[in-house]
């Protein structure tokens, strides 16, 4: 167990992050999950039976001191770090011409600054293990939709993934951008309802993320776009 790989997942207490954590734990990884809600993290751990290989850390993905503390706690608890998954993010589900600017700053900081802070905080540890950075983007970061500010943040993540790859590949660290289409998760709660049409489940998307993490040494899968069958755009 002490030599098993270690992953840190931001926003890991529910939805996609929780699904990835479950799959990694089942495959023998040790996992740290972070999130802003202590109660949600506690419930997630209890749901899994509070396994020995799971560490939960309360923290905001857009606060560098808190991100760095999560990395340090992971290294102290498990002794290494092989993978980070920048999953924390949310949408205000409004538009640049008709939306409420009050929520935009928090969304931009979480969705764009958050992944950059995670890379910065973890890169030294990842160099030692020749590990992997996984950024959870979105189809909205590849396809323009009218007025979509959330999409603009995910276009930034698309750019960050390649910018980061060009810097860290010389250290032996891989970078994978996973860009999901519509997924049935709490992401849609603030929208009031799920979007129409077919949706992926969080478990289905987690399978793609875990597949990318499990690539052989020396293989760098860089961009994976995952849509449900039936989503045209």
């Amino acid at each position: 167990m002490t030599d098993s790989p270690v992953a840190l997942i931001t926003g890991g207490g529910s939805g996609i992050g929780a699904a990835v954590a479950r799959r990694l734990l089942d495959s023998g990884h040790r996992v740290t999950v972070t999130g802003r809600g202590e109660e949600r993290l506690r419930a997630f751990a209890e749901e899994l039976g509070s396994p020995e290989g799971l560490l939960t850390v309360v923290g905001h993905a857009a606060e560098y001191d808190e991100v760095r503390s999560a990395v340090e706690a992971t290294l102290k608890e498990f002794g290494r770090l092989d993978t980070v998954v920048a999953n924390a993010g949310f949408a205000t589900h409004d538009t640049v011409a008709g939306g409420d600017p009050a929520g935009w700053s928090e969304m931009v900081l979480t969705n764009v600054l958050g992944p950059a802070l995670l890379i910065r905080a973890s890169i030294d540890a990842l160099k030692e293990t020749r590990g992997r950075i996984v950024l959870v983007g979105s189809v909205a970061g590849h396809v323009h939709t009218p007025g979509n500010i959330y999409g603009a943040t995910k276009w930034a993540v698309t750019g960050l993934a390649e910018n980061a790859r060009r810097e860290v590949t010389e250290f032996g660290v891989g970078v994978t951008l996973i860009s999901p289409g519509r997924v049935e998760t709490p992401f849609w709660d603030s929208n009031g309802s799920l979007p129409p049409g077919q949706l992926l489940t969080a478990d289905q998307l987690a399978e793609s993320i875990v597949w990318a993490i499990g690539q052989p040494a020396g293989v760098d899968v860089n961009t994976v776009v995952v849509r449900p069958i039936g989503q045209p755009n």
Side-chain angles (χ1 to χ4, degrees):
M1 186 71 173
T2 56
D3 292 330
S4 59
V6 176
L8 187 160
I9 305 167
T10 64
S14 64
I16 294 166
V20 173
R22 288 189 195 97
R23 284 183 172 269
L24 289 176
L25 286 164
D26 287 345
S27 69
H29 280 65
R30 294 168 291 167
V31 179
T32 298
V33 295
T34 75
R36 297 178 66 181
E38 183 176 0
E39 185 174 328
R40 175 178 286 182
L41 290 175
R42 185 184 303 113
F44 174 63
E46 290 174 354
E47 176 192 338
L48 297 182
S50 301
E52 188 176 302
L54 175 65
L55 175 67
T56 60
V57 178
V58 178
H60 193 322
E63 295 289 341
Y64 185 56
D65 286 346
E66 296 182 19
V67 175
R68 187 170 53 188
S69 292
V71 171
E72 291 171 353
T74 301
L75 293 171
K76 181 178 180 180
E77 179 74 13
F78 298 132
R80 61 187 291 165
L81 181 59
D82 300 84
T83 304
V84 295
V85 181
N87 169 70
F90 71 95
T92 54
H93 299 291
D94 56 5
T95 68
V96 70
D100 181 0
W104 297 351
S105 294
E106 183 72 11
M107 178 173 64
V108 171
L109 289 172
T110 302
N111 294 6
V112 181
L113 181 62
L117 296 180
L118 182 61
I119 293 169
R120 181 65 186 87
S122 64
I123 189 61
D124 288 342
L126 294 174
K127 287 179 185 179
E128 292 185 15
T129 57
R130 300 178 74 83
R132 178 167 302 278
I133 297 161
V134 178
L135 305 182
V136 178
S138 173
V139 166
H142 300 268
V143 178
H144 293 289
T145 49
N148 191 341
I149 309 166
Y150 167 79
T153 71
K154 291 302 185 176
W155 276 91
V157 174
T158 298
L160 176 64
E162 178 61 11
N163 290 354
R165 186 198 69 80
R166 293 189 180 207
E167 179 175 21
V168 306
T169 190
E170 68 178 272
F171 308 140
V173 176
V175 178
T176 299
L177 171 69
I178 301 281
S179 295
R182 295 187 295 251
V183 184
E184 185 178 355
T185 72
F187 172 86
W188 301 103
D189 288 355
S190 62
N191 196 41
S193 64
L194 294 171
Q198 296 295 315
L199 282 76
L200 296 168
T201 67
D203 282 332
Q204 286 173 326
L205 184 65
E207 187 168 337
S208 296
I209 295 173
V210 173
W211 169 81
I213 292 170
Q215 289 300 297
V219 176
D220 198 11
V221 175
N222 300 130
T223 303
V224 180
V225 178
V226 188
R227 292 179 175 90
I229 296 293
Q231 179 177 337
N233 300 318

